[in-house]
């Protein structure tokens, strides 16, 4: 598993090394995750699980489909994260 959050060095077409040229990878943020989960909650509230498409969730969250898949590997994982978030919110309310 890579921990340096960058892609490997690239080689130019002519074979010369792109010396120390690294491109940073965007890190995942809690705000972006919450934005996606909120959009998913709205869609799942209006449609059955199998009717809600990842494309629709991405559009509603105003993120690219690739971004959505960086955060959640599939719709099931997204749905489980949504349930976990709801459980945490309920627990917080009960403790208040």
């Amino acid at each position: 598993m890579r921990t340096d959050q960058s892609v490997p060095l690239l080689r130019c077409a002519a074979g010369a090394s792109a010396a120390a040229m690294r491109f940073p990878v965007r890190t995942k943020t809690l705000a972006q995750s919450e934005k996606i989960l909120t959009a998913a909650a709205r869609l799942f509230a209006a449609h059955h699980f199998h009717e809600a498409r990842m494309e629709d969730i991405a559009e509603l969250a105003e993120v690219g489909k690739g971004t959505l898949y960086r955060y959640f590997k599939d719709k099931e994982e997204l749905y489980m994260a949504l349930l976990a978030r709801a459980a945490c919110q309920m627990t917080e309310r009960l403790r208040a």
Side-chain angles (χ1 to χ4, degrees), residues 64-81:
K65 195 169 146 184
T67 299
L68 180 61
Y69 281 105
R70 274 187 52 236
Y71 282 81
F72 304 98
K73 74 175 184 174
D74 56 24
K75 188 167 51 170
E76 184 176 340
E77 182 177 280
L78 173 58
Y79 192 76
M80 295 303 290

Side-chain angles (χ1 to χ4, degrees), residues 20-31:
M21 184 190 229
R22 291 189 172 263
F23 299 98
V25 175
R26 289 188 199 174
T27 57
K28 295 179 183 179
T29 65
L30 182 58

Side-chain angles (χ1 to χ4, degrees), residues 6-96:
S6 61
V7 294
L9 288 174
L10 303 175
R11 292 227 173 250
C12 298
S17 173
M21 184 190 229
R22 291 189 172 263
F23 299 98
V25 175
R26 289 188 199 174
T27 57
K28 295 179 183 179
T29 65
L30 182 58
Q32 190 79 308
S33 178
E34 286 297 317
K35 185 176 171 182
I36 292 168
L37 288 172
T38 299
R42 287 181 57 198
L43 256 150
F44 288 131
H47 304 284
H48 295 291
F49 177 84
H50 294 292
E51 294 171 347
R53 299 178 321 149
M54 293 294 270
E55 293 85 0
D56 298 331
I57 295 168
E59 183 179 332
L60 189 59
E62 298 178 339
V63 299
K65 195 169 146 184
T67 299
L68 180 61
Y69 281 105
R70 274 187 52 236
Y71 282 81
F72 304 98
K73 74 175 184 174
D74 56 24
K75 188 167 51 170
E76 184 176 340
E77 182 177 280
L78 173 58
Y79 192 76
M80 295 303 290
L82 193 56
L83 293 176
R85 183 178 82 161
C88 287
Q89 289 171 344
M90 186 179 292
T91 301
E92 288 172 7
R93 287 184 189 143
L94 291 172
R95 289 184 180 170

